[in-house]
Coordinates of all heavy atoms in Angstrom, one line a residue:
P1 N 10.8 -17.2 -6.3 CA 9.5 -17.3 -5.7 C 9.4 -16.6 -4.3 O 8.3 -16.4 -3.8 CB 9.2 -18.8 -5.6 CG 10.4 -19.5 -6.1 CD 11.4 -18.5 -6.6
H2 N 10.5 -16.3 -3.7 CA 10.5 -15.6 -2.4 C 10.2 -14.1 -2.5 O 9.9 -13.5 -1.6 CB 11.8 -15.9 -1.6 CG 12.0 -17.3 -1.4 ND1 11.2 -18.1 -0.6 CD2 13.0 -18.2 -1.8 CE1 11.6 -19.3 -0.6 NE2 12.7 -19.4 -1.3
E3 N 10.4 -13.6 -3.8 CA 10.1 -12.2 -4.0 C 8.7 -12.0 -4.6 O 8.4 -12.7 -5.6 CB 11.2 -11.6 -4.9 CG 11.1 -10.1 -5.2 CD 12.1 -9.6 -6.1 OE1 13.1 -10.2 -6.3 OE2 11.9 -8.5 -6.6
M4 N 7.9 -11.1 -4.0 CA 6.6 -10.9 -4.5 C 6.6 -9.6 -5.3 O 7.1 -8.6 -4.9 CB 5.6 -10.8 -3.3 CG 5.5 -12.0 -2.5 SD 4.9 -13.5 -3.4 CE 3.2 -13.2 -3.3
L5 N 5.9 -9.6 -6.5 CA 5.7 -8.5 -7.3 C 4.3 -7.9 -7.2 O 3.4 -8.7 -7.2 CB 6.1 -8.8 -8.8 CG 7.4 -9.4 -9.1 CD1 7.6 -9.9 -10.5 CD2 8.5 -8.4 -8.7
E6 N 4.2 -6.6 -7.2 CA 2.9 -6.0 -7.2 C 2.4 -5.6 -8.6 O 3.2 -5.0 -9.3 CB 2.9 -4.7 -6.3 CG 2.9 -5.0 -4.9 CD 2.7 -3.7 -4.0 OE1 2.3 -2.7 -4.6 OE2 3.0 -3.8 -2.9
T7 N 1.2 -5.9 -8.9 CA 0.6 -5.4 -10.2 C -0.7 -4.6 -9.9 O -1.6 -5.2 -9.3 CB 0.3 -6.6 -11.1 OG1 1.5 -7.4 -11.3 CG2 -0.3 -6.1 -12.4
P8 N -0.7 -3.4 -10.2 CA -1.9 -2.6 -9.9 C -3.1 -3.1 -10.7 O -3.0 -3.5 -11.9 CB -1.6 -1.2 -10.4 CG -0.1 -1.2 -10.6 CD 0.3 -2.6 -10.9
V9 N -4.3 -3.1 -10.1 CA -5.5 -3.6 -10.7 C -6.4 -2.4 -11.0 O -6.9 -2.1 -12.1 CB -6.3 -4.6 -9.9 CG1 -7.6 -4.9 -10.4 CG2 -5.4 -5.9 -9.7
A10 N -6.7 -1.6 -9.9 CA -7.6 -0.5 -10.0 C -7.3 0.5 -8.9 O -6.8 0.2 -7.8 CB -9.1 -0.9 -9.9
K11 N -7.7 1.8 -9.1 CA -7.6 2.8 -8.2 C -8.8 3.7 -8.2 O -9.3 4.0 -9.3 CB -6.3 3.7 -8.5 CG -6.1 4.8 -7.5 CD -4.8 5.6 -7.9 CE -4.6 6.8 -7.1 NZ -3.4 7.5 -7.4
A12 N -9.3 4.1 -7.0 CA -10.4 5.0 -7.0 C -10.1 6.1 -6.0 O -9.5 5.9 -4.9 CB -11.7 4.3 -6.5
T13 N -10.4 7.4 -6.4 CA -10.0 8.5 -5.6 C -11.3 9.3 -5.2 O -12.1 9.5 -6.1 CB -9.1 9.5 -6.3 OG1 -7.9 8.7 -6.5 CG2 -8.7 10.7 -5.5
F14 N -11.5 9.6 -3.9 CA -12.6 10.4 -3.5 C -12.3 11.9 -3.6 O -11.4 12.4 -3.1 CB -13.0 10.0 -2.1 CG -14.3 10.6 -1.6 CD1 -15.5 10.3 -2.2 CD2 -14.3 11.5 -0.5 CE1 -16.7 10.8 -1.7 CE2 -15.5 12.1 -0.1 CZ -16.7 11.7 -0.7
V15 N -13.2 12.6 -4.3 CA -13.1 14.0 -4.4 C -14.1 14.6 -3.5 O -15.3 14.6 -3.7 CB -13.4 14.5 -5.9 CG1 -13.2 16.0 -6.0 CG2 -12.5 13.8 -6.9
K16 N -13.6 15.1 -2.3 CA -14.5 15.6 -1.3 C -15.4 16.8 -1.7 O -16.6 16.9 -1.4 CB -13.7 16.0 -0.1 CG -13.4 14.9 0.8 CD -12.9 15.3 2.2 CE -12.7 14.1 3.1 NZ -12.5 14.5 4.4
S17 N -14.9 17.7 -2.5 CA -15.6 18.9 -2.9 C -16.9 18.6 -3.7 O -17.9 19.2 -3.6 CB -14.7 19.8 -3.7 OG -14.3 19.2 -4.9
S18 N -16.8 17.5 -4.5 CA -18.0 17.1 -5.3 C -18.6 15.8 -4.8 O -19.6 15.4 -5.3 CB -17.6 17.0 -6.8 OG -16.5 16.2 -6.9
K19 N -18.0 15.2 -3.8 CA -18.5 14.0 -3.2 C -18.7 12.9 -4.2 O -19.7 12.2 -4.2 CB -19.8 14.2 -2.4 CG -19.6 15.2 -1.2 CD -20.9 15.3 -0.4 CE -20.5 16.3 0.7 NZ -21.7 16.6 1.5
I20 N -17.7 12.7 -5.0 CA -17.7 11.6 -6.0 C -16.4 10.8 -5.9 O -15.4 11.3 -5.5 CB -17.9 12.1 -7.5 CG1 -16.7 13.1 -7.8 CG2 -19.2 12.8 -7.7 CD1 -16.6 13.3 -9.3
W21 N -16.5 9.6 -6.4 CA -15.4 8.7 -6.6 C -15.0 8.7 -8.0 O -15.9 8.5 -8.9 CB -15.8 7.2 -6.2 CG -15.8 7.0 -4.7 CD1 -17.0 7.1 -3.9 CD2 -14.8 6.8 -3.8 NE1 -16.6 6.9 -2.6 CE2 -15.3 6.7 -2.5 CE3 -13.4 6.6 -4.0 CZ2 -14.5 6.4 -1.4 CZ3 -12.6 6.3 -2.9 CH2 -13.2 6.2 -1.6
K22 N -13.7 8.8 -8.3 CA -13.2 8.7 -9.7 C -12.4 7.4 -9.8 O -11.6 7.1 -9.0 CB -12.3 9.9 -10.0 CG -13.1 11.2 -10.1 CD -12.2 12.3 -10.7 CE -13.1 13.5 -11.0 NZ -12.4 14.5 -11.8
L23 N -12.7 6.7 -10.9 CA -12.1 5.4 -11.1 C -11.0 5.4 -12.2 O -11.1 6.1 -13.2 CB -13.2 4.4 -11.6 CG -12.8 3.0 -11.8 CD1 -12.2 2.3 -10.6 CD2 -14.1 2.2 -12.2
Y24 N -9.9 4.7 -11.9 CA -8.7 4.7 -12.7 C -8.2 3.3 -13.0 O -8.4 2.4 -12.2 CB -7.6 5.5 -12.1 CG -7.9 7.0 -11.8 CD1 -8.4 7.3 -10.6 CD2 -7.7 7.9 -12.8 CE1 -8.7 8.6 -10.3 CE2 -8.1 9.3 -12.5 CZ -8.6 9.6 -11.3 OH -8.9 10.9 -11.0

C-alpha cells in the first residue's frame, strides 16, 4: 500500500494549427 500505481483515464491534445482539442 505504500506504492502508488498510475492508471491513465483520458488524454487531450491541443492542435494549434487547427485550434482543436483531440480526445484519446
Side-chain angles (χ1 to χ4, degrees):
H2 300 296
E3 184 180 342
M4 299 297 278
L5 302 174
E6 283 188 17
T7 303
V9 173
K11 178 179 176 179
T13 299
F14 187 64
V15 182
K16 279 193 171 193
S17 60
S18 53
K19 296 184 179 174
I20 60 165
W21 285 95
K22 291 192 172 195
L23 182 57
Y24 301 92

